[in-house]
Amino acid sequence: GDSVTQMEGPVTLSEEAFLTINCTYTATGYPSLFWYVQYPGEGLQLLLKATKADDKGSNKGFEATYRKETTSFHLEKGSVQVSDSAVYFCALSDRTSYDKVIFGPGTSLSVIP
Amino acid sequence: EAGVTQFPSHSVIEKGQTVTLRCDPISGHDNLYWYRRVMGKEIKFLLHFVKESKQDESGMPNNRFLAERTGGTYSTLKVQPAELEDSGVYFCASSQDRRGGEQYFGPGTRLTVT
């Protein structure tokens, strides 16, 4: 079945460091890809998405490009801030079955001043 | 516009007791989903309602879990009787468009079974 794998955390970075969180997926169809974020004490929020190959999703300085050839959707940010400390989930939903989102295990990010 | 709300935010019950979680989706969203994250593992799909009908309940772990959505508005998820392994965070989400549309998540209910 469809699945998502992402790098395990926790990840600790200094402020203004470069962030990469790797994500790869397995899907039988043509999935849409997502990054969700959960800030401390809050619910899940959609951070960015891409619906087809080579699309780049971006939001709040974060970017991820849908790479079909490597089945990847790595999350990047050039300069992280303390306020970016959160848990990040890579996820997909399949075009043939939009009824469920399949999540990766989540990566906890801590940014220190 | 109000987001997805869930009640309670946290519930602590003893093994064998019953707990009912509630989710109020965004007004006008026909699709309502339940997910849960158990013991820091992946967030797993439980079931999907379209209006009041269960579209997909393939993720429901066993018959101790019962979800309802009477009238196609809010939904409840009842766990009876609760077991230790049911502890986790239960998320609800809603969406308007089934075809890849964004699912809006609630803050979750943290369930602790002791």
Side-chain angles (χ1 to χ4, degrees), chain A residues 1-5 24-29 92 94 100 102, chain B residues 44:
Chain A
D2 295 354
S3 65
V4 176
T5 303
T24 56
Y25 67 90
T26 301
T28 54
L92 67 82
D94 196 294
K100 65 185 76 170
I102 296 170
Chain B
K44 294 284 193 182

Side-chain angles (χ1 to χ4, degrees), chain A residues 16-102:
Chain A
E16 299 185 1
F18 184 86
L19 169 70
T20 299
I21 301 178
N22 291 333
C23 170
T24 56
Y25 67 90
T26 301
T28 54
Y30 300 94
S32 294
L33 302 176
F34 309 88
W35 277 99
Y36 283 86
V37 59
Q38 186 177 21
Y39 297 103
E42 299 184 14
L44 284 168
Q45 301 175 26
L46 179 65
L47 180 60
L48 53 85
K49 70 177 182 180
T51 58
K52 62 182 187 294
D54 299 325
D55 269 1
K56 178 184 284 187
S58 61
N59 185 25
K60 299 181 180 181
F62 291 88
E63 293 184 340
T65 301
Y66 190 142
R67 300 290 188 195
K68 187 177 179 182
E69 64 276 13
T70 55
T71 61
S72 65
F73 193 55
H74 304 323
L75 182 69
E76 296 182 336
K77 186 174 184 181
S79 177
V80 294
Q81 305 300 312
V82 172
S83 57
D84 294 326
S85 298
V87 181
Y88 293 81
F89 296 90
C90 187
L92 67 82
S93 67
D94 196 294
R95 289 176 188 267
T96 61
S97 178
Y98 288 147
D99 303 311
K100 65 185 76 170
V101 176
I102 296 170

